[in-house]
Amino acid sequence: MSATSITLNQFYHKFPKADIHYHLLGGVRLETMLALANKYGVELSETDAKCYYRAHQHETGIVKGGIEALTFLYGLMREPEDYFRVLVEVAEDAHACGVRYIETFWNPSDTNIPYPIATQAMAEAIDHVERELGLVVRLIPSINREKTPEVAVEMVEQLIAHPHPYVLGIGIDYKEHNAPVEHFWKAYRLAEQNGLKLTAHCSEFGLHWRNVESGLELINVERIDHGYTILDNPTLTQKYATQGVPFTVIPSNTYYFTQWPEHNEWCKKHPIRAMAKAGLNIIPCTDDWHIHNTTSANCYRVMVEDFGFDLGSLRQMMVNSINASWMPEEIKHQWLIEWTAEFDRLRALLEAEPSIAEHHLIQYRR
Ligand SMILES: [Zn+2]
């Protein structure tokens, strides 16, 4: 190794990345959860807290999912300074992994403080991290689909009553099984009429492809979060590949770990591979950073080391992430030039390109 060369692991950490599917509270550190509980006198042992974090669940033997973690955390976020703290910590951890841009989901209908106050606290944190780290964060208030469509409409009314330049659009998340996106058409229509961008979690948890179809064809969302089962409909897969609809995909998605607990089978069968082969516009994202024990660098490492993508594929995904973001076109154009140059410069410093077995290799280009 020469003095200037870098390892693959350093490469995954250094090249510029945009994470556009990031749940703010999924990025709460374990020690921050404990500190918030302590601040408000909520009884929470370290062992109890670890039950929410995938990295520690083998110690506790109790597995609580991402949705349970987020619900619990909203209960611990009671003052504007809590939102400020969490957003700054999220940005610090992302910065250490080469992330330059985040679009983060949060659920205004779950908070203990009024929407404009929470937004203002996060906006101050966004200014702070942009100044200190050069990292840009923007906000996507998200519908909690386990609540009623009327609550979703109220959320959008709040957004319209208190517009903020850092709030770019809306999303929808939480448990999808009995709450497909079309139930929330009124909230989405109101958002669209008021110039907000639209995305939606669709066809997560192995649910039917028609949830993606409804999101795109009926609700007019511009992006799909997850959307894996679209592969079960080859005609629509082809259509959305041709249209270039962005799909934010999550290598650490819980559902597929439970489908194929055996690592090799998971590597081979994960729908991200088939989505890429079908030519869909995919963007790897972290979803729930600390809760699911992942990072943006790890997300791209998995793409290579587990799913068999070459480094040219990562470059393509990085380009996809910029294009799918909701930043102004002139900034995206500038990032495309700067980030690809930096990717290529770092790639040239690698001591070796990853070696991937030919039968497993994917060269993803669009
Ligand atoms: Zn998500």
Side-chain angles (χ1 to χ4, degrees):
M1 185 173 172
S2 80
T4 51
S5 66
I6 59 171
T7 64
L8 266 174
N9 191 42
Q10 288 170 323
F11 178 74
Y12 299 135
H13 279 82
K14 280 175 188 285
F15 77 81
K17 287 171 280 292
D19 194 340
I20 59 173
H21 181 160
Y22 189 124
H23 299 275
L24 185 72
L25 298 201
V28 172
R29 300 169 184 164
L30 173 65
E31 62 267 30
T32 304
M33 180 190 274
L34 287 164
L36 288 167
N38 186 46
K39 178 180 173 186
Y40 296 114
V42 174
E43 205 174 310
L44 181 75
S45 70
E46 191 169 326
T47 307
D48 290 340
K50 283 179 172 177
C51 297
Y52 292 106
Y53 288 82
R54 195 180 279 168
H56 297 288
Q57 286 172 340
H58 66 279
E59 299 165 39
T60 65
I62 298 170
V63 175
K64 292 188 178 173
I67 289 175
E68 280 170 285
L70 266 49
T71 305
F72 178 69
L73 277 162
Y74 277 115
L76 295 180
M77 308 273 287
R78 302 185 189 177
E79 292 176 354
E81 66 183 26
D82 303 333
Y83 282 88
F84 183 94
R85 172 180 180 169
V86 165
L87 196 139
V88 169
E89 290 178 353
V90 158
E92 286 169 354
D93 294 340
H95 178 69
C97 283
V99 175
R100 304 284 174 86
Y101 179 65
I102 299 174
E103 282 173 13
T104 186
F105 295 112
W106 67 290
N107 302 88
S109 63
D110 293 350
T111 60
N112 290 300
I113 50 178
Y115 171 77
I117 293 174
T119 301
Q120 187 53 37
M122 288 187 284
E124 285 169 19
I126 287 170
D127 288 336
H128 173 80
V129 299
E130 191 163 348
R131 227 172 22 243
E132 297 295 317
L133 307 172
L135 187 144
V136 179
V137 183
R138 293 293 181 264
L139 302 172
I140 308 180
S142 198
I143 295 166
N144 176 346
R145 69 198 326 157
E146 294 180 30
K147 297 186 173 174
T148 66
E150 290 71 38
V151 170
V153 170
E154 283 168 25
M155 182 196 92
V156 176
E157 286 170 348
Q158 285 284 309
L159 267 60
I160 295 164
H162 305 281
H164 193 286
Y166 295 168
V167 176
L168 305 183
I170 66 162
I172 187 168
D173 48 42
Y174 282 78
K175 209 168 173 206
E176 185 182 344
H177 301 67
N178 297 315
V181 65
E182 62 266 29
H183 288 194
F184 301 87
W185 66 271
K186 213 183 271 187
Y188 270 96
R189 184 171 297 176
L190 188 59
E192 186 180 26
Q193 286 168 343
N194 284 275
L196 290 159
K197 306 267 191 188
L198 313 177
T199 187
H201 283 49
C202 293
S203 304
E204 196 185 355
F205 316 106
L207 296 178
H208 201 279
W209 54 259
R210 78 172 69 87
N211 292 355
V212 171
E213 184 187 43
S214 304
L216 291 169
E217 317 265 351
L218 204 58
I219 305 295
N220 292 332
V221 300
E222 296 157 60
R223 291 201 308 241
I224 292 289
D225 301 307
H226 301 288
Y228 314 106
T229 59
I230 197 61
L231 292 167
D232 296 338
N233 184 327
T235 308
L236 284 182
T237 298
Q238 165 100 57
K239 178 181 174 184
Y240 300 148
T242 306
Q243 291 178 344
V245 174
F247 285 74
T248 63
V249 294
I250 313 296
S252 55
N253 185 262
T254 311
Y255 176 77
Y256 294 105
F257 281 134
T258 57
Q259 284 295 293
W260 306 300
E262 200 276 311
H263 182 71
N264 279 334
E265 191 180 15
W266 173 81
C267 291
K268 271 191 241 146
K269 293 187 176 169
H270 201 292
I272 287 176
R273 280 174 53 85
M275 290 172 91
K277 286 181 175 174
L280 288 166
N281 179 8
I282 59 168
I283 297 122
C285 297
T286 56
D287 208 5
D288 291 314
W289 187 290
H290 285 304
I291 295 296
H292 282 166
N293 191 30
T294 191
T295 70
S296 203
N298 180 59
C299 202
Y300 278 88
R301 181 195 63 75
V302 167
M303 289 288 157
V304 175
E305 295 180 7
D306 293 333
F307 296 160
F309 289 97
D310 67 353
L311 295 189
S313 305
L314 296 200
R315 189 182 193 275
Q316 178 68 61
M317 293 168 193
M318 178 190 77
V319 166
N320 293 354
S321 72
I322 298 171
N323 285 329
S325 82
W326 289 342
M327 286 302 272
E329 288 304 319
E330 62 273 19
I331 292 178
K332 294 204 270 190
H333 181 70
Q334 186 191 336
W335 285 355
L336 281 170
I337 294 168
E338 291 171 3
W339 295 19
T340 51
E342 196 163 345
F343 186 99
D344 295 342
R345 183 184 67 79
L346 289 163
R347 186 176 179 178
L349 293 177
L350 273 174
E351 52 195 20
E353 292 263 326
S355 70
I356 300 159
E358 201 168 329
H359 68 274
H360 195 57
L361 175 70
I362 303 180
Q363 293 173 308
Y364 173 66
R365 310 286 187 273
R366 295 193 77 251

